[in-house]
Amino acid sequence: MNILDKIVADKRKEVALKKALIPLAQLEASVLFNRATNSLATALRNSDSGIIAEHKRRSPSRSEINQGLNVQDVASGYENAGVCGMSVLTDGKYFGGSLDDLLLARAAVRMPLLRKEFIIDEYQLVEAKAHGADVILLIAAILTREEIKALSELAKSLQIDVLLEVHNEEELHKSVMPSLDMLGVNNRNLKTFEVSLDTSKALSKLIPADFVKVSESGISSIEAIQDLRTYGYEGFLIGENFMKTNDPGQSAGEFIEQLIQ
């Protein structure tokens, strides 16, 4: 079993346990469930920077990134820096995140929040909406075309944006459908954890123009973003580069300042 298979197997157990404990009706009764969402796709289209900054404490490829910061401080710092939106890891076992992180970030900021999670069940979308998410991530590598369709259509009915993530041409071809807002290319191979921006470049010409193109992982320089823009990318997900510093908001602000001057 590769790491992705392990994560998904654990996630299926976790979701089954939660469903047994917290019914959908309880999630739908949440204070945040009926709030008007904030579109990340629109923010990216109208942005000079296109930066989506991430809150990530650790990952399977790097055991610890930054465990010492409050998520609400990181969120406020990012919003002040002028990022388009924030990605919040909510997986506990492998990334050290939680739904509470999403809730605290939501309490602190107004910008679009992406629930970064291994989504395999419609229950997780209702959970995302109840905890203040504006966007969900769907990972083509772990879902069938039918699952992508059902999940993305449910997201639309909840007024949540959908960022669909692919790693190769095969995943892209099975995934393209009108219920998506953004197509993300992950430059990290989730099976080997190797990173190459060539993945984004190679797939760019296959992504239809009606989707916002997002490049994810391994982006750490202004030059990389300028290069990817020539391939039509409007969004850039940056995690470890900011999170490994003592003040992610400040480092995001300095990065954006350089990028847009």
Side-chain angles (χ1 to χ4, degrees):
M1 259 179 130
N2 63 48
I3 186 71
L4 192 55
D5 293 336
K6 279 189 195 143
I7 291 172
V8 171
D10 282 335
K11 195 57 62 181
R12 290 195 190 284
K13 290 180 201 155
E14 181 189 307
V15 172
L17 284 168
K18 283 184 166 181
K19 284 167 92 169
L21 195 66
I22 301 169
L24 280 176
Q26 189 175 327
L27 291 170
E28 288 165 350
S30 138
V31 173
L32 289 170
F33 194 78
N34 293 315
R35 73 173 264 279
T37 48
N38 197 350
S39 169
L40 178 61
T42 303
L44 290 173
R45 281 198 184 97
N46 298 330
S47 166
D48 292 331
S49 76
I51 302 294
I52 306 161
E54 192 153 82
H55 178 266
K56 177 158 68 169
R57 291 187 181 87
R58 56 184 166 89
S59 73
S61 60
R62 272 192 61 178
S63 54
E64 186 170 315
I65 299 161
N66 196 330
Q67 303 272 25
L69 301 170
N70 288 325
V71 66
Q72 60 270 33
D73 296 341
V74 175
S76 299
Y78 281 156
E79 188 166 66
N80 293 337
V83 305
C84 291
M86 175 173 166
S87 161
V88 182
L89 263 303
T90 61
D91 173 78
K93 181 173 179 181
Y94 296 91
F95 291 88
S98 73
L99 278 163
D100 277 352
D101 287 338
L102 189 56
L103 214 49
L104 289 168
R106 177 78 290 147
V109 297
R110 298 182 60 140
M111 66 179 165
L113 296 180
L114 162 70
R115 182 185 186 188
K116 185 98 175 274
E117 181 56 271
F118 298 84
I119 289 182
I120 41 101
D121 193 292
E122 293 184 355
Y123 181 86
Q124 291 163 289
L125 298 198
V126 179
E127 213 175 37
K129 174 89 171 167
H131 288 78
D134 302 280
V135 196
I136 51 128
L137 176 76
L138 297 179
I139 301 171
I142 63 175
L143 299 166
T144 64
R145 182 173 175 83
E146 292 66 36
E147 287 170 330
I148 293 167
K149 186 171 188 294
L151 290 163
S152 58
E153 287 177 357
L154 174 62
K156 295 284 85 184
S157 75
L158 294 170
Q159 272 120 30
I160 292 177
D161 271 8
V162 179
L163 169 61
L164 184 112
E165 174 180 300
V166 299
H167 300 82
N168 56 41
E169 199 171 325
E170 187 191 348
E171 289 175 7
L172 181 60
H173 287 313
K174 81 169 181 185
S175 306
V176 172
M177 56 187 76
S179 44
L180 310 175
D181 302 283
M182 296 160 281
L183 269 162
V185 178
N186 194 336
N187 302 305
R188 178 176 282 116
N189 181 318
L190 287 185
K191 291 176 179 164
T192 64
F193 281 97
E194 286 167 2
V195 174
S196 169
L197 296 184
D198 291 341
T199 312
S200 280
K201 294 175 186 179
L203 293 180
S204 65
K205 57 186 178 295
L206 304 172
I207 299 173
D210 34 355
F211 301 108
V212 175
K213 292 184 202 176
V214 178
S215 186
E216 309 170 24
S217 296
I219 301 167
S220 57
S221 68
I222 304 291
E223 295 70 36
I225 290 178
Q226 289 166 337
D227 190 14
L228 287 165
R229 277 187 177 153
T230 66
Y231 291 85
Y233 285 91
E234 294 177 275
F236 311 93
L237 182 70
I238 301 182
E240 292 179 19
N241 202 41
F242 301 145
M243 278 303 293
K244 65 188 180 190
T245 67
N246 291 330
D247 189 337
Q250 187 186 340
S251 78
E254 287 163 3
F255 190 88
I256 289 170
E257 216 169 281
Q258 275 181 288
L259 180 62
I260 62 179
Q261 58 178 304

